[in-house]
């Protein structure tokens, strides 16, 4: 095991980068851990360092100035960066926390790593929220985040004729990014009614930059079909066409509006779900968010209910990269304050950061209310539609379980028991059974798949350490 650092930041997206940079600037020792190849998280996903010259993706990014400033700040400090390290659990330990990770830099070999920290910042972000529909398990049907990750991380377009569907502003940059790489984006189906935004004039007026960004996509030729959805995908070996329909306000397909569109790839996303595995295991209290997700509950300094654990970014609620950045900064300022260190951010700037956070959160709330999951979405399902892809559990089986939440469905049908551990189907199964409450993922003691070899290595290392410390005491 390593010597303890002042703070381990888990997640190197906008929130984690900002937290690490602020803590470093305040003079703390910091380890920044991420399962990815590069700093930046989902928003600033880049090709791995060795491929950056060959694969150019800068034109697909926003706010690169902030990314470069943070990268510069992180490379200047005494930072322990652990890329391609998956944290599989974090637990309270003597005067701090043990962060258990697997080092996958030498894949297929996995090495066990335990980092010790006095404090923890959890900045693990979120993942695409999916709703099943007939044919969504065909090859060529991806999440919109997945399409974007292929584009930004590898310069790869998943198809040449692509339809996008779901809800939320994230459809726009994905459509624009695909079009910029020569892809024919044949449809962008937005289930919500854009007029719903007018119910939140305050949030709109306080965030003009968002509208400038939206107008930019329209200028670049992105055409959205409001109140429509992709309700089926068809093909033999892979997707060849989708069925698109106009929706009623409840989300039912309007009779007579269905039509087929030929495609070779599809991207679908219904917002995001926060990545809560580690905070749930650590015992952090959760709160309900307007978008139907449970999120990590934090105070105005991003402190969770567990002393010494702070959270920032989309683990605390879906709100975009700029909110994540500011929350990361606030979390690190709280770490500094709680460690008795002076702040790294000047007082006036800190007040401005707090008001930016409030402004972005108001926008995030408006976004959640304007882009809900359509209440009648489950009527698109046939009995045969696969809901849990890992365990091949159908909609009929989930309904027949007559369970009261996704945990019970799991016990009765195995939905959520496979490789992804319900990350993919969990929100949908929950919505099919207990739509009134927020979705709280099942506690997973092991947050990411880890080999028995790596676990055995860690146990052996701990035994040696214990023996050495006993010898040390006896000598
Ligand atoms: C696939 C995907 C693509 C997206 N693309 C865009 C986009 O192009 N434009 C846009 O505006 N928004 C995008 N978003 C939304 C975007 O994620 C956020 O607005 C922003 O990146 C949130 O920042 P964050 O720091 O909270 O989280 P993230 O950027 O998600 O960063 C979280 C980091 O934590 C790491 N992590 C999580 N769990 C572990 C673990 N157990 N061990 C080690 N590391 C871990 C992840 O690898 C990730 O790098 C995307 C979201 C997803 C899911």
């Amino acid at each position: 095991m390593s010597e303890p650092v002042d703070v381990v930041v888990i997640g190197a997206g906008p929130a984690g980068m900002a937290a690490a940079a602020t803590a470093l600037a305040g003079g703390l020792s910091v380890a920044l851990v991420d399962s990815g190849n590069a700093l930046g998280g989902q928003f600033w996903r880049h090709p791995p360092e060795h491929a950056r010259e060959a694969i150019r993706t800068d034109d697909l990014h926003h706010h690169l100035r902030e990314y470069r400033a943070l990268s510069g700040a992180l490379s200047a400090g005494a930072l322990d960066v652990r890329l391609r390290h998956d944290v599989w659990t974090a637990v309270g330990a003597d005067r701090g926390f043990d962060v258990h990770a697997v080092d996958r830099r030498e894949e297929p070999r996995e090495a066990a790593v335990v980092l010790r920290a006095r404090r923890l910042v959890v900045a693990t972000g979120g993942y695409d929220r999916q709703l099943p529909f007939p044919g969504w398990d065909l090859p060529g049907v991806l999440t919109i985040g997945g399409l974007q990750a292929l584009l930004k991380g590898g310069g790869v377009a998943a198809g040449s004729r692509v339809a996008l569907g779901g809800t939320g502003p994230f459809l726009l940059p994905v459509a624009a990014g695909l079009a910029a790489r020569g892809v024919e984006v044949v449809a962008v189906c937005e289930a919500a009614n854009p007029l719903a935004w007018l119910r939140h004039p305050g949030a709109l007026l306080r965030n003009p930059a968002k509208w400038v960004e939206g107008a930019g996509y329209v200028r670049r030729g992105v055409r959205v079909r409001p109140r429509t959805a992709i309700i089926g995908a068809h093909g033999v070996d892979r997707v060849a066409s989708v069925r698109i329909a106009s929706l009623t306000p409840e989300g039912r397909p309007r009779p007579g509006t269905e039509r087929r569109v030929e495609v070779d790839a599809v991207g679908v996303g219904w917002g995001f779900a926060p990545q809560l595995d580690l905070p749930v295991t650590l015992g952090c209290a959760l709160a309900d968010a307007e978008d139907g997700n449970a999120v990590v509950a934090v105070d105005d300094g991003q402190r969770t209910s567990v002393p010494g654990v702070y959270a920032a970014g989309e683990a605390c609620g879906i709100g975009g990269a700029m909110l994540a950045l500011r929350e990361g900064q606030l979390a690190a300022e709280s770490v500094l304050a709680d460690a008795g260190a002076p702040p790294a951010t000047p007082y006036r700037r800190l007040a401005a950061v707090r008001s930016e956070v409030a402004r972005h959160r108001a926008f995030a709330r408006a976004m959640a209310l304007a882009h809900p999951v359509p209440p009648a979405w489950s009527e698109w399902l046939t009995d045969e539609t696969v809901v849990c892809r890992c365990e091949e559990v159908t909609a009929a089986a989930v309904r027949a379980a007559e369970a009261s939440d996704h945990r019970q469905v799991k016990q009765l049908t195995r939905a959520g028991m496979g490789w992804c551990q319900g990350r993919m189907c969990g929100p949908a199964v929950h919505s099919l059974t207990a739509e009134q409450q927020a979705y709280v993922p099942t506690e997973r003691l092991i947050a990411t798949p880890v080999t028995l070899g790596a676990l055995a290595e860690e146990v052996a290392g701990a035994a040696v350490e214990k023996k050495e410390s006993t010898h040390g005491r006896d000598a």
Side-chain angles (χ1 to χ4, degrees), residues 10-16 33-36 38 40-45 60 85-88 123-128 143-146 148-149 152 170 173-174 213 272 275 278 312-315 319-321 324 447-448:
I10 308 173
V33 191
D34 198 292
S35 49
Q42 304 291 5
F43 185 67
W44 287 319
R45 182 180 284 277
L60 302 173
H85 280 59
D86 284 276
V87 176
W88 59 269
T124 46
Y127 58 95
D128 287 91
T143 66
I144 48 173
Q148 183 78 331
K152 284 186 170 177
F170 185 43
V174 180
E213 189 183 330
F272 298 100
Q275 185 71 262
L278 299 174
E314 302 219 307
T448 176

Side-chain angles (χ1 to χ4, degrees), residues 163-184:
L164 302 178
T167 193
F170 185 43
L171 287 164
L172 303 175
V174 180
L178 289 168
R181 291 295 179 272
V183 174
E184 189 184 354

Side-chain angles (χ1 to χ4, degrees), residues 218-383:
V218 176
R219 271 202 307 281
R220 284 151 72 185
V222 176
R223 294 282 173 268
V224 176
R225 297 162 193 241
R227 295 171 78 167
T228 59
I230 296 172
I231 56 166
H234 306 269
V236 182
D237 299 324
R238 57 171 292 124
V239 65
S241 67
V242 286
R243 248 177 328 124
I244 291 175
S246 292
L247 298 180
T248 65
E250 300 75 39
R252 292 192 176 86
R254 281 186 197 278
T257 63
E258 267 187 39
R259 62 192 198 88
R260 281 228 192 192
V261 179
E262 282 181 21
V263 295
D264 59 9
V266 180
V268 191
W270 297 92
F272 298 100
Q275 185 71 262
L276 296 179
D277 299 332
L278 299 174
V280 167
T281 311
L282 281 158
C284 299
L286 303 179
D288 291 356
E290 282 80 2
D291 59 4
N293 285 311
V295 300
V296 182
V298 286
D299 71 3
D300 60 4
Q302 304 299 130
R303 294 175 185 86
T304 71
S305 60
V306 177
V309 180
Y310 309 73
E314 302 219 307
C316 307
I318 306 305
M322 292 305 104
L323 175 59
L325 267 183
R326 302 297 168 242
E327 288 184 350
Q329 192 175 350
L330 284 185
E333 285 297 348
S334 297
V335 171
L336 285 164
D338 298 347
T345 313
Y347 180 75
R348 279 206 183 160
R349 176 70 199 127
L350 207 52
V353 169
R354 286 188 204 288
S355 87
E356 274 181 64
V357 165
R359 181 163 59 77
H360 286 301
R361 283 194 186 147
F363 188 84
R365 266 193 301 278
M367 181 172 75
L369 296 171
H371 292 275
V373 168
W377 73 271
S378 59
E379 293 179 25
W380 314 342
L381 305 181
T382 63
D383 279 353

